[in-house]
Amino acid sequence: MAKYPKPETECELNSRVIALSGKTLSQLANEIHWSVPSNLKHDKGWIGQLIEVHLGASAGNLSEPDFQNLGIELKTIPLNTKHKAKETTYVCTVPLLNHIGLSWEDSCVYHKLSRVLWLPIEAEPSIPVAERKVGLGFIWSPSKQQMQALRDDWEEFMELISLGQVETITAHLGEHLQIRPKAANASVVTTGIGHDGLRKQTLPRGFYLRTSFTNQILKSTFQ
DNA sequence: TGGTGATCATAC
DNA sequence: GTATGATCACCA
């Protein structure tokens, strides 16, 4: 029997989230005999994976929700001293090929964000990783307005991509969603559509949620 | 000092 | 390379 079996219901997941709130990362790491890195420079996904184990998320690299049976995606939110989101949130890879006719409802952004368990965690560099505390997580779905806003950004991006303008897209575009590189380094390439309409090797990119968007979610939840 | 562009680890 | 998990590092 696993020490942290997967939660069977949303209610059960919620109780576990409440149990995690207020705990430090060293407490959580000690429970599963993990050592705490002194910084996250070489362990950028460490906190996310630590939380996955504690909540009984299906570990692994499947392109499925973290809690498949519940259809819920887990996302940690790094907070600064003002308790605001410090970083943008990665959503998924940008489809650069075979996206013709792809509808919003069939997009990875729509699916990933339809139901999310947000878990705020202290992330000030001045606080040692071990002493950082987990906040109170909550399960969220986009409001009608948020959904429409995300859709508007997504459609704008997908139009540019289908016109072969991927390389003109910068992180400045998009009100709530943005597109930035998502790769091991700048020499990684994937196939996309060039400005001439032909296939072209280009840098893989991902969709990210701006901090203003996640902060809006935090505010409406905790105000 | 905040946001954009770049990068890190790991499984397959 | 792509998928998972994100934060780092630098420049405006």
Side-chain angles (χ1 to χ4, degrees), chain A residues 72-90:
Chain A
I72 295 175
E73 176 74 17
L74 170 65
K75 293 287 180 195
T76 57
I77 305 181
L79 300 182
N80 61 22
T81 44
K82 296 167 192 164
H83 282 204
K84 291 223 175 183
K86 179 178 166 250
E87 299 282 352
T88 53
T89 302
Y90 171 67

Side-chain angles (χ1 to χ4, degrees), chain A residues 76 78 85-90 178 180 208-212 214:
Chain A
T76 57
K86 179 178 166 250
E87 299 282 352
T88 53
T89 302
Y90 171 67
Q178 67 178 176
R180 303 215 310 276
Y208 294 78
L209 286 178
R210 291 189 179 279
T211 52
S212 57
T214 42

Side-chain angles (χ1 to χ4, degrees), chain A residues 160-178:
Chain A
L160 286 172
I161 291 166
S162 59
L163 292 174
Q165 316 242 343
V166 188
E167 293 178 331
T168 70
I169 298 176
T170 70
H172 296 277
L173 262 58
E175 198 178 340
H176 305 291
L177 215 50
Q178 67 178 176

Side-chain angles (χ1 to χ4, degrees), chain A residues 72-175:
Chain A
I72 295 175
E73 176 74 17
L74 170 65
K75 293 287 180 195
T76 57
I77 305 181
L79 300 182
N80 61 22
T81 44
K82 296 167 192 164
H83 282 204
K84 291 223 175 183
K86 179 178 166 250
E87 299 282 352
T88 53
T89 302
Y90 171 67
V91 182
C92 61
T93 300
V94 176
L96 298 181
L97 224 46
N98 302 325
H99 53 267
I100 318 282
L102 180 67
S103 67
W104 163 242
E105 287 81 6
D106 287 327
S107 72
C108 63
V109 178
Y110 175 88
H111 286 291
K112 286 268 180 180
L113 298 181
S114 60
R115 200 140 181 80
V116 180
L117 166 57
W118 296 106
L119 197 51
I121 298 180
E122 288 179 339
E124 266 303 309
S126 58
I127 308 174
V129 177
E131 294 172 24
R132 296 183 191 173
K133 287 178 186 167
V134 177
L136 181 58
F138 57 96
I139 296 169
W140 166 93
S141 285
S143 68
K144 213 168 184 179
Q145 291 77 14
Q146 289 169 328
M147 189 66 100
Q148 185 60 47
L150 291 172
R151 177 177 184 152
D152 288 344
D153 279 344
W154 182 85
E155 290 180 341
E156 182 185 345
F157 282 127
M158 294 314 291
E159 181 171 358
L160 286 172
I161 291 166
S162 59
L163 292 174
Q165 316 242 343
V166 188
E167 293 178 331
T168 70
I169 298 176
T170 70
H172 296 277
L173 262 58
E175 198 178 340

Side-chain angles (χ1 to χ4, degrees), chain A residues 35-77:
Chain A
S35 56
V36 182
S38 54
N39 65 68
L40 300 177
K41 184 173 177 180
H42 301 291
D43 298 270
K44 297 181 179 178
W46 187 82
I47 295 178
Q49 284 154 2
L50 176 71
I51 301 299
E52 281 187 353
V53 172
H54 278 270
L55 291 179
S58 48
N61 53 348
L62 302 173
S63 52
E64 295 285 333
D66 296 298
F67 302 97
Q68 303 184 35
N69 54 324
L70 302 178
I72 295 175
E73 176 74 17
L74 170 65
K75 293 287 180 195
T76 57
I77 305 181

